[in-house]
Amino acid sequence: MNISVIDLCIMSFQGPVNAFLLHWTMESGSNVTVFILLGLSQNRNIEILCFVLFLFCYVAIWIGNLLIMISITFSLLVDQPMYFFLNYLSLSDLCYTSTVMPKLMTDLLAERKTISCNNCMAQLFILHFLGGIEIFILTGMAYDRYVAICKPLHYTIIMNRQRCNTIIVACCTGGFLHSASQFLLTIFLPFCGPNEIDHYFCDVYPLLKLACTDTSRIGLLVIVNSGLIALVTFVILMVSYFLILHTIRAFPAESRAKALSTCSSHITVVVLFFGPALFIYIRPATTFPEDKVLALFYTIIAPMFNPLIYTLRNMEMKTALRKVWCQKAFLIGRQII
């Protein structure tokens, strides 16, 4: 728990990162090398309670998403586009949450919550990179459901494996472009003090608040980048699901129930992720105390509930789980005997 995902990333690129950040410090006029994270609460008892709660959540995130990934990989579901995307969504959930949770839990037990400029900028970049990938994967999943329900006769031709791989590459490229632009908007800001970030991780708006320069134009660019991307994506997702719901009205009752179950699962995930993100990023560059609580939804709660939403409401997923894990239990039993 002492070494987080961010620390490992920084250690891998320590030389180039240090050289770049040294040049950045000299060019930007910054004299701040360490930030202090104020965290979720200043009450020690609440922090200990949060640590226990988040430890449970983090274990649940790992178990749930690993179960999904293993069950899909070792079953016939891996050949179906919807589960192909779900596999990558679970992977991005694990990576995304691991960028925040280890550091958050360590800080909950620490007297002084600090993060170096190196780690802060790396965390900001990785968070927006993985968050962007997750947003675009959800869009890819909505497109897959739209084609499956609205154009069933052409589904296998449109959603072939090459098209699915292309969509995943596009998701990663879109996430990188989004993250790189956020990173470049922040990295050259001068930080002269104070150095207290009113959050539990490094994000753009809390850093803009600390910059000793006029950040109004940068704030507008952040809205265009993060806020507008989230809003446009959310509208596209809602329109696609509206078209799906409109189409399934003519379906037989059994087919309609199955389509509704799948779409309702996706819509639940979308609302859990996009609702808080839109509230934070679609407004001008200001911060509220509620932002920290809302950020928990897309950094912890959504990744934890995704496995439950996609398994408990999905018969194919539950069948795959039973087959894969019952078969593994049988093989282990035979080896013991």
Side-chain angles (χ1 to χ4, degrees):
M1 185 148 323
N2 292 329
I3 299 179
S4 67
V5 173
I6 301 301
D7 296 322
L8 293 174
C9 292
I10 291 296
M11 287 166 61
S12 302
F13 303 97
Q14 194 70 45
V17 168
N18 284 341
F20 174 76
L21 287 171
L22 177 62
H23 176 74
W24 157 62
T25 303
M26 294 172 63
E27 290 293 324
S28 65
S30 296
N31 54 20
V32 173
T33 57
V34 174
F35 292 109
I36 299 172
L37 296 169
L38 297 184
L40 291 168
S41 174
Q42 303 301 311
N43 187 304
R44 191 62 182 165
N45 293 328
I46 294 178
E47 286 186 325
I48 293 172
L49 179 63
C50 287
F51 173 82
V52 175
L53 178 62
F54 293 153
L55 179 61
F56 168 79
C57 292
Y58 194 44
V59 171
I61 288 168
W62 270 92
I63 292 174
N65 284 290
L66 280 177
L67 277 174
I68 284 182
M69 291 167 63
I70 294 170
S71 300
I72 291 174
T73 302
F74 292 98
S75 70
L76 297 176
L77 294 180
V78 73
D79 296 323
Q80 297 184 34
M82 183 176 81
Y83 298 100
F84 174 83
F85 291 128
L86 179 56
N87 202 12
Y88 278 98
L89 181 67
S90 293
L91 178 61
S92 67
D93 274 341
L94 277 180
C95 296
Y96 183 70
T97 232
S98 294
T99 310
V100 175
M101 288 291 282
K103 173 64 177 168
L104 170 59
M105 290 189 293
T106 302
D107 285 345
L108 287 170
L109 298 180
E111 291 292 333
R112 186 175 172 84
K113 305 167 181 57
T114 60
I115 184 169
S116 68
C117 285
N118 297 34
N119 286 12
C120 185
M121 295 301 162
Q123 187 180 58
L124 184 146
F125 177 83
I126 295 171
L127 268 175
H128 281 273
F129 174 56
L130 296 171
I133 289 176
E134 186 147 349
I135 285 174
F136 295 127
I137 287 177
L138 288 171
T139 309
M141 294 175 74
Y143 175 69
D144 168 70
R145 289 301 85 200
Y146 169 77
V147 176
I149 293 171
C150 299
K151 299 183 179 181
L153 298 178
H154 301 91
Y155 179 68
T156 55
I157 298 173
I158 296 174
M159 296 305 296
N160 55 51
R161 183 46 58 94
Q162 184 179 359
R163 175 69 59 84
C164 292
N165 288 330
T166 302
I167 290 173
I168 291 298
V169 171
C171 290
C172 295
T173 304
F176 176 80
L177 292 174
H178 160 68
S179 181
S181 59
Q182 295 287 79
F183 181 76
L184 291 173
L185 288 173
T186 312
I187 192 68
F188 295 109
L189 290 174
F191 298 101
C192 314
N195 64 339
E196 292 184 341
I197 298 176
D198 189 16
H199 217 305
Y200 61 90
F201 64 88
C202 287
D203 204 2
V204 181
Y205 282 169
L207 287 172
L208 290 182
K209 191 176 178 180
L210 297 181
C212 49
T213 186
D214 181 20
T215 59
S216 55
R217 291 184 179 179
I218 296 176
L220 289 174
L221 292 174
V222 172
I223 293 173
V224 171
N225 188 314
S226 292
L228 211 56
I229 286 176
L231 180 62
V232 170
T233 307
F234 181 73
V235 170
I236 290 172
L237 288 169
M238 289 298 101
V239 169
S240 68
Y241 286 122
F242 173 79
L243 293 174
I244 289 171
L245 293 174
H246 179 74
T247 302
I248 64 176
R249 290 187 308 166
F251 283 21
E254 186 178 345
S255 300
R256 188 165 62 245
K258 183 179 178 181
L260 277 172
S261 177
T262 302
C263 290
S264 62
S265 300
H266 291 200
I267 292 171
T268 304
V269 172
V270 167
V271 171
L272 275 175
F273 190 88
F274 279 89
L278 284 171
F279 177 82
I280 291 173
Y281 292 111
I282 203 64
R283 64 170 192 255
T286 55
T287 58
F288 298 117
E290 295 81 10
D291 290 353
K292 292 186 283 188
V293 177
L294 288 171
L296 293 173
F297 278 89
Y298 56 82
T299 56
I300 299 174
I301 295 174
M304 183 176 66
F305 277 100
N306 280 359
L308 294 174
I309 290 168
Y310 282 111
T311 54
L312 295 180
R313 298 177 62 86
N314 190 310
M315 188 57 67
E316 288 181 322
M317 196 69 231
K318 286 190 283 188
T319 303
L321 283 168
R322 282 196 296 268
K323 284 183 178 179
V324 170
W325 294 102
C326 287
Q327 185 179 13
K328 286 186 178 293
F330 175 74
L331 293 174
I332 292 171
R334 288 192 62 181
Q335 290 176 356
I336 293 174
I337 294 172

